[in-house]
Amino acid sequence: MYLEIKDLTVLYDRAMVLNGVSLTVGKGEFVSLVGPNGAGKTTLLRAIAGLVKWEKDTLKGTRAGRITLEGSVKFDGEEVTNLPAHEIVRRGLILCPERGRPFREMTVLDNLRAGAFGCKDKKVVKENLERVYHLFPRLKERENQISGTLSGGERFMLTIGRAMMSQPKLFMIDEPSVGLAPKVKEDLFARVKEIYEQGSTILMTEQDVSFAFDLAGRNYVISKGHLVGEGTAEDLLADESLRKTYLGL
Amino acid sequence: MVEAILINGLVLGGMYAILAVGFALVFGVAKILNMAHTAFYMVGAFLILIMTIMLGFPSLPSIVLAIAIMGITGSVIYKLFLDRVKEHPVAVMIISVGVAILFQEVLLIGFGGHFRGIDPFVRGFVEIAGIRATYQQVIAIATSLVALVAIRLLLSKTRVGNAIRAVAEDREIANVMGIDVSRMCVITMGISAVLATVAGAVVAPIFMVHPLMWMHPLTIVLAAVVLGGLGSIKGSILGAFILGFAETAVVFLVPMGAFLRGAVGLSVMVVVLLLRPEGLFGVVFEEERL
Ligand SMILES: Nc1ncnc2c1ncn2[C@@H]1O[C@H](COP(=O)(O)OP(=O)(O)OP(=O)(O)O)[C@@H](O)[C@H]1O
Ligand SMILES: [Mg+2]
């Protein structure tokens, strides 16, 4: 398996946020992770990206630093569980955070350059930049705009674009549609599809279950830190209790 | 009189500005208040004194060498003492004050409490638009401006500068971009110590060098960044020039004003904190979480 997560457990102080989660993503697969608010979706992606470990290490000795992190994350045949977050990115595993999180006081172009930090070859950076601008012409128009002033849809484009600058092998996209108008949402999912069809591997969390199921080939359902279901959209929707309890459909 | 205030204000403001920028940069990126900042300025000035006066080296190479030594010293001190405690503001405060006092004591033991002068790097006067200034003053003002422009270019045009700004804005996301946050803090601390040494180099021949010279600029730097708004580089530059001119004006216009120098920065800091706690260009720090 390309990405293999085993028994991932995260506790913030004594609150169990992830409870022995195991999941896999195969190369070229599109996997979704759905579940209600506070289920632990974001925490799962943060843990995979190395951010929970980073948080634990930096906040060591403070109240907020009482974090327990157990389990293992393997990517592309390599154990990345104990690698620092910035090294995990270099392996091609990248997180596109919730609400985009651009560097707000920096211009669009500077954000994209930050994404290219790990790539020292100027020629490659330039090529990647052109690819991003080709996929999102809007970003080129807004190149010199301060990214704090971008619209929600544009912010999402920037996040994906910034991630593309670091030449990822696997995109982890966290709730791309949060807070977006239905029209923008549809466009956004078309873009995600486009990126996927260009040969990426994607693990995406989403609250909008129908959208997620449309796109993904396989899905996980998470609730209160436990995985409660796994399968294709048909499998999951066929399960009456799962559908009613967790998917709200 | 007005001319004297103008020239001296520019010299002083420029020096405070370079110091304040370095301090603000470290605060913005590593999120620490480095109380040892002006001690770097002092040690830098002493290194130049040792090399030029005691060892008889030429000025320019001495300055360059001092800058390099202090840049490395700043980074090493951050890495050894501050990186591991940076989430504990009180510990940072105590340790960095400790570092400053350590430098002070070492210099006191080595040099005694004397005031020492360094010969001007260039002697003579110029007259620009009827205003008389020594070459050394002109050099000081020009160097400050060049340093401020250089730091701006470094931050806006280079790959590392871009990463430093990214860390200043959002450490968590910087991580996800493959940026080693801790390393960027080390580099920033080095840059900050380099700037402090540049400040030491420009004023060493104008003011006296002595082992307590770090204290007064420290209050000014704190006042300047409070005045400008913690975390705003532009604001801290403005704050530094305002304080530089205010201090010069007090020295020239108020009888016995020289004794009031130290009070200027502190008064400004108190008044600003009471009236506008966020400063002139204040930014509210909110580090978002995923
Ligand atoms: N740093 C933290 N300290 C304490 N509790 C936390 C922390 N981070 C997350 N939690 C808790 O963990 C739980 C899961 O949070 P998480 O953000 O992973 O949920 P989510 O599934 O992404 O929800 P949403 O759909 O609302 O984004 C929540 O109850 C949250 O309050
Ligand atoms: Mg979430």
Side-chain angles (χ1 to χ4, degrees), chain A residues 42 98 174-175:
Chain A
T42 300
E98 210 172 319
D174 196 10
E175 296 206 34

Tab-separated table of all heavy atoms in Angstrom, chain A residues 42 98 174-175, ligand 2:
chain	number	residue	atom	x	y	z
A	42	THR	N	-9.677	16.167	10.719
A	42	THR	CA	-8.531	17.064	10.615
A	42	THR	C	-7.355	16.539	11.423
A	42	THR	O	-6.207	16.542	10.968
A	42	THR	CB	-8.917	18.475	11.106
A	42	THR	OG1	-9.985	18.952	10.297
A	42	THR	CG2	-7.748	19.422	11.022
A	98	GLU	N	-7.569	22.914	5.938
A	98	GLU	CA	-8.928	23.439	5.977
A	98	GLU	C	-8.899	24.953	5.794
A	98	GLU	O	-8.018	25.617	6.326
A	98	GLU	CB	-9.493	23.087	7.365
A	98	GLU	CG	-10.969	22.877	7.437
A	98	GLU	CD	-11.371	22.340	8.818
A	98	GLU	OE1	-10.653	21.485	9.362
A	98	GLU	OE2	-12.396	22.786	9.329
A	174	ASP	N	-8.131	18.731	3.139
A	174	ASP	CA	-9.016	18.782	4.299
A	174	ASP	C	-10.212	19.680	4.024
A	174	ASP	O	-10.063	20.889	3.857
A	174	ASP	CB	-8.227	19.275	5.520
A	174	ASP	CG	-8.962	18.987	6.820
A	174	ASP	OD1	-9.973	18.257	6.791
A	174	ASP	OD2	-8.518	19.483	7.867
A	175	GLU	N	-11.382	19.076	3.982
A	175	GLU	CA	-12.641	19.804	3.824
A	175	GLU	C	-12.574	20.974	2.859
A	175	GLU	O	-12.760	22.119	3.259
A	175	GLU	CB	-13.112	20.311	5.184
A	175	GLU	CG	-13.413	19.156	6.095
A	175	GLU	CD	-14.418	19.509	7.166
A	175	GLU	OE1	-15.311	20.315	6.865
A	175	GLU	OE2	-14.302	18.982	8.264
C	2	MG	MG	-11.750	19.489	10.352
